[in-house]
Amino acid sequence: MRNLFSFLVVFSLILVLFCSFMATPPDCNALKTGRFHSYTKKGDHIQITRIDGIQQDVNTQTKDTTYWKIEWLGNCRFAASYLSGAGPKNEAEKRLYENTILYFDIKEIADDYYIGTTTVKASNGMSVFTDTTWLVARK
């Protein structure tokens, strides 16, 4: 009986330690509005501004601007739907943009950035990628 009690005590301590090291989900309330920064592989700086369910993306080099409707689906998950702006080069591309939804899942928040996974669901298929969005512009 004493061995069983000792085992349960040790098991409980291990369980408590394990749970204390598990990551708690980030609090994304501060990311629902504000100014953020993204950088393309080509080095373009995209300034992102979120206000009241609308997101504006501005390429700071070309000044191309795109507007998105944002719907928060949870604490750190939101969907973006194309409203207008840069991107589509013809009517077929415009219809593709209008029928595509981007799902963003924010996985980690640090002092200067957050990391998220984007799932693009379009009529021509689906793709998933992970990217960093900066809370401050890189110099």
Side-chain angles (χ1 to χ4, degrees):
M1 184 66 137
R2 186 175 182 132
N3 285 343
L4 178 61
F5 179 76
S6 296
F7 172 77
L8 289 175
V9 168
V10 170
F11 179 76
S12 297
L13 286 173
I14 291 171
L15 186 61
V16 167
L17 284 172
F18 177 77
C19 290
S20 68
F21 287 112
M22 289 182 59
T24 57
D27 179 7
C28 296
N29 282 323
L31 305 178
K32 293 182 179 181
T33 60
R35 181 163 289 159
F36 312 98
H37 308 272
S38 183
Y39 298 88
T40 67
K41 289 182 181 182
K42 296 187 309 183
D44 290 344
H45 173 198
I46 309 299
Q47 184 174 283
I48 302 163
T49 305
R50 281 191 210 118
I51 301 172
D52 297 329
I54 301 294
Q55 178 170 304
Q56 176 193 54
D57 294 355
V58 178
N59 182 317
T60 60
Q61 283 82 7
T62 65
K63 304 301 182 212
D64 286 342
T65 303
T66 306
Y67 293 93
W68 303 87
K69 177 181 180 278
I70 301 296
E71 179 183 354
W72 285 89
L73 306 172
N75 176 42
C76 291
R77 179 173 169 77
F78 66 94
S81 303
Y82 175 79
L83 291 174
S84 66
K89 294 171 183 49
N90 55 46
E91 277 303 311
E93 276 191 21
K94 184 176 181 187
R95 281 192 301 279
L96 179 63
Y97 272 59
E98 290 171 343
N99 292 308
T100 298
I101 299 176
L102 309 174
Y103 292 95
F104 295 87
D105 288 294
I106 299 166
K107 303 294 186 186
E108 176 186 339
I109 302 172
D111 290 340
D112 294 338
Y113 62 89
Y114 66 87
I115 297 173
T117 300
T118 303
T119 303
V120 180
K121 292 189 179 179
S123 58
N124 64 352
M126 184 175 92
S127 61
V128 178
F129 61 93
T130 299
D131 202 2
T132 301
T133 303
W134 297 87
L135 305 177
V136 295
R138 295 190 311 201
K139 297 186 190 273

